Structures are given as C-alpha cells and as structure tokens.
Amino acid sequence: MQHLVIAPVLLPLLAGIALLLLRPLPIGWRRVLSLLAVLAQVWLALLLLGQAGDGGIFTYALGDWPAPYGIVLVADRLAAGMLLITALLGLLALLYASRGTDLEGRHFHVLFQLQLFGLNGAFLTGDLFNLFVFFEILLLASYGLLLHGGGPERTRAGLHFVVINLAGSTLFLFAVGTLYGVLGTLNMADLARRMAQVGPAELGLVQAAGLLLFGVFALKAALVPLYLWLPAAYAGTSAPVAALFAVMTKVGVYSIVRLDTLIFGAQAGDSAHLLGDWLLPLALLTLAIGMAGVVASTGLRQQAAYLVIASVGTLLIAAGLGTAGGLAAGLYYLPHTTFAAAALFLLADSIARRRGKLADRFAPDGTLSHPRLLGGLFFITAVLIAGLPPLSGFVAKFLILRAALPHPDLAWIMAVVLVTSLLALIALARSGSVLFYRARVVNPPAGGERLLPELAPAAALLLLCLGLVLWAGPVHEYTLRTAQQLHHPQIYIDAVLGREVAP
Amino acid sequence: MEALVAVIIGVLTACGVYLSLRRRSFPVVLGITLLSYAVNLFLFAMGRLTIGRPAVIDAAAAGYTDPLPQALVLTAIVISFAMTAFVIMLALKARAELGDDRVDGNRPT
C-alpha cells in the first residue's frame, strides 16, 4: 500500500525506458505495451482514488528521508483526481494515436510515456523544487510531442512554445531561490507552516516570490496576458497530442490552486490569500478574451485551442471565488472541460481529413463523407462545451454560478460567464453549419474507411462526460470534499510533517 | 562579495532579457542561456555566501555552508544544459524549414 503513491510516477518512466530499448520490435507490440502501461495507470489512479477518497493524505518519503529534509510525494484527493483524469485522457489519446499518428515521427510512445511521467510527478510531488523538475520533464516531452510529425507550422509554433517556457522556467527558479533564501525550505507543507512566521522585513520578498510563482503557473495555464503561445501550438500539432495537451494547462491551474490554498492559504498570516486579488479579475479577462478568440477563429482546431483558454478562465473563476463551494464547482468543471476539449480536437482531426485541401478551415463549399455521424458527435461536443442542458457543461456552469451567488462581484461574474456562454453557442453553431450543412456530401472512398475505430476514442471521451452527468451527485460530493480538504491546509501540513515525530 | 555577486546576477539578467527579446533566433538562444546562468548564480547565492566552510559534516569545522542550494544548482545546470541543446537544434531546424532565422518567421515588409 505504502508504495502505491510512487507507482504512478515509476510506471510511465519504466514503460518509457522499456519502449526506448524495445525499438527493434514491430510497432504493434510497442503499441500494445504502451497501451497496457497506460491502462495500468488508470488502474493505479483508481486504487489511489479509492484510498485517498476516504480523506487520508498519503505521503511517500523518497529514500526514507523524513519530511522537510527529503523529497516527499503526497497523494490527497486533488492529486488522485488529477491522476485519474490524466490517465483516462492519456489512454484515449494513445488509442487514437495508435491508428497511425505514432508512425509520423520517431519515439512517439517513449515521449508519450515520459509526458505522463512528468504530469503524474507534478501532481504528486510535495516539494517545490521537485515540482520544477517534473515541470521540466513534462515540458521536454511535450516539446518532442508537439514537433512530432514535423512541418514548418509546427516548427514555428514549437520554437515560440519552447522559448517562452524556458523563460518561464527561469522565473520559476528565481521564485524558488527567493523562497529558499528567506524561509530555508522548499517542502510545500513546511513552506506553508513557516509562511505565518515571516517577519515584516521579509514580507515583501516572500510575497514577490509568491506572485512570481503565480506568474509562472499562469503562463503554463495560459492565463491572460500570457496565453499567446497556446493557439498556434495547439492548433498546429497532431490531434492526439493536442488532446493530451488539454490537461497541460490544467497542470498550471492545479499548481495555482495548490499555491493559493496551501502555501498562501488561510494559515499564512500576513500573506494569506495573496492571490485572491489577482485571480478573479484575470480569470474573467481570460474567459472573455478566450471566447473572443473562439468567435474570431478561422478553423476548427484553432477554435478548440481558444476554447481551452476560455475553459481555463472559467476554471479559475471558480477557484478565485475563494470558497470551498466555488472550488468544488471548478473541480467538477475540470474533468468535463478536459474531456470535452480533447474530444473536440480528435473530432476536428477526423473532419479535417475528410475535407481535402480545405482541412478544418471554415469555408462553405467543402465536401464531407459521413456527415451525419460526424455532425452528430460534433453536436454533442458543442452542447457539452457551450454548457447547454442536459449535459455536464450545464451542470458545471450551474454549480459555478450558484457558488458565485454570495460573492460581492456577482454581477461581473454572471455577466461574463453568461455572455461568453452565448458567444460559445453562436460560434459553435456557426462552425457546425459551415462544416456540415453547407458541405457537399460525397461517398467515402472505395475500400471503406474504418470509421468506428477512428471515432471510438472521441466517443469514449463524450461518454465520460455523460458519466459525469449521470453520476453528478457522487462526483460533486467528491469534489466538495476535495475542496474542503484544500481549504483546511493544516490537515495537509500535519500529514506531511507528521512523519517527523514518528519513530 | 555580496555586492559583486548581486551586480553580476543583475548584469547577466539584464543582458539575458535584452537578448531574448531580439528578433533573430541566435540572440534569443544566447539570451536564454545568459538568463539560466544568472538564475544558477542566484540560486547558489541564496544559501548565503561563505568562504572556506565545508558543506558536509566535519568534526573540526567551525561552521557550515548550506549544501542544498549547491545540489539545486547542479540539477538546474543539467536541466538548462539539456534545454539549451534542444533549443539550438530547434532553432537550426526552424532556420532550415522556414528559410529564415527570425523568431516570427516573417521577413519585414
């Protein structure tokens, strides 16, 4: 049991190394191995979710060095939930990629496993510098995945993506260094504990470091004004990679939530709720600007990329409310938006393949085969994303707005969320009508396309969203408990540092 | 010594920021490299600057220097080294594929 916490980190690392060494094997074997590794991760995440769901916080001291001296991995409800979302998304993206995307370049499966290694590590680590290391791992893997398949467009977007993330990493290290210089620790629980004892002389320094960290995480989460790298990168890369990247911005959101609730949480004395003043206005702006991008997009993949930005805005509005109810609503919205965005990226690829030279551009005189099936799936995805009843988007937005009712800035939140929902509806309805109604229906090429396996991953993602509606009660119950756990950082601190006194 | 190190970090950072805002990819790569040098020095200095003190336990030592930042810097150096190698390869690839070494890939009109 004790080693279960480190298993989701080790498994993709070992699988990645194995896949690298097994390159001489035929591709079929490597696909099976890679898929089995991700399936095992889903299983591990479910086990961990079952354990952490009872409210326990499990720590794993690497090398058995006790907590503030060594590095710890910490599995609480939030981390377990994020692991499950990542593993499910990874499984379906990999299924889609195993139909041929993985042959467009080299080492796709290795990079994919290492990407999951970085993601899982970032969710589990309880140490700020270790978080930096896992960030670098997931970024380095993501650079490779982003460029997978090549082409000038990908290279150009990739260069921007890499350079801006390198600058972000530098800022991350400056913030980490400042925090270490003042507080003498990098363990997140220990940082949270010592934050309350910071004297007035060093308060400014600590808060500057905190806001610098927020800036770095905002860059990863693509918060306004640090979102400009995202649309070209996500729209240009291959579909399964874009689908997996739907969870990459959520790593930034996850880190912001940790920073906001743990390190600068309620117990942090003078620095408590440091991010509170920034989070909500920036989130509202992100939602508004992201949605403007959705309306102005000229292609379906670009539209999906802007929808990712808008979803980050919605997510951080929920987190920025500063209440457990708001955070719970946001955490319910998180899996919904991740799965829906990934499904849209996969569908956009299927549609683009059938439109010849037009690809995914919004031009009226296109051709399309299987318009009913593709259109039907697009319709469901659009209903999900726009937040129309009866699907999970509606439930999530309703929960967020309900949680916002007692907030003093209710008028702004209501206005922005509702107007942007309307804009999303208009933009998606327009895309759908251009892509499907005004398209000339052509017969599928002879020899038959294998439509079912191609659309199965996207359909499975939509089914997951359907599951979120059907089991909305238990899921929301879980996110509510997660939010309550996050809003009592003392539990986390005791769980991590408690090992100190244990024999 | 603190003042000297602080000035070095400041100059490196300023040069790094200036270069990474340039239009061509080579200065950008150099700028990123200078920034990583600056941050490595900064991390190192965060353990307080001491001279002639051991980092590991020694019965005769009067005091110690903090070993943790040194370990952090080692990790950061390795990572930034790998990243620099990658970004150089990518810049070369972009130069070859886009036919231009401007980071936005467009010739000024």
Side-chain angles (χ1 to χ4, degrees), chain A residues 205-250:
Chain A
L205 211 52
V206 168
Q207 293 188 346
L211 288 175
L212 200 57
L213 269 185
F214 174 57
V216 175
F217 297 149
L219 173 73
K220 315 277 180 205
L223 208 60
V224 162
L226 300 168
Y227 71 98
L228 292 168
W229 56 269
L230 190 141
Y234 280 37
T237 188
S238 56
V241 174
L244 182 68
F245 280 12
V247 82
M248 286 263 288
T249 48
K250 273 65 181 185

Side-chain angles (χ1 to χ4, degrees), chain A residues 231 235 293-294 296-307 345 360:
Chain A
V294 170
S297 294
T298 54
L300 189 55
R301 282 181 298 181
Q302 194 185 20
Q303 196 162 49
Y306 275 108
L307 280 168
F345 276 119
D360 67 330

Side-chain angles (χ1 to χ4, degrees), chain A residues 261-336:
Chain A
T261 59
L262 179 61
I263 300 180
F264 294 103
Q267 84 306 333
D270 293 333
S271 310
H273 306 300
L274 178 68
L275 310 183
D277 299 339
W278 295 89
L279 213 45
L280 192 58
L282 284 178
L284 287 171
L285 258 180
T286 307
L287 179 54
I289 291 179
M291 211 47 92
V294 170
V295 175
S297 294
T298 54
L300 189 55
R301 282 181 298 181
Q302 194 185 20
Q303 196 162 49
Y306 275 108
L307 280 168
V308 169
I309 298 175
S311 80
V312 167
T314 314
L315 207 47
L316 285 175
I317 287 174
L321 293 175
T323 60
L327 191 53
L331 292 176
Y332 179 86
Y333 181 76
L334 197 150
H336 147 76

Side-chain angles (χ1 to χ4, degrees), chain B residues 25-94:
Chain B
S25 54
F26 183 63
V28 171
V29 174
L30 271 189
I32 295 282
T33 316
L34 286 186
L35 275 178
S36 74
Y37 291 161
V39 80
N40 287 343
L41 263 180
F42 179 78
L43 268 183
F44 184 72
M46 277 301 117
R48 305 296 183 269
L49 298 168
T50 50
I51 292 176
R53 296 270 174 83
V56 283
I57 290 180
D58 177 4
Y64 295 99
T65 180
D66 190 347
L68 192 74
Q70 306 180 12
L72 299 186
V73 168
L74 268 179
T75 317
I77 286 174
V78 174
I79 290 176
S80 69
F81 192 62
M83 292 293 179
T84 309
F86 183 82
V87 82
I88 287 174
M89 281 312 297
L90 185 60
L92 286 173
K93 188 175 149 77

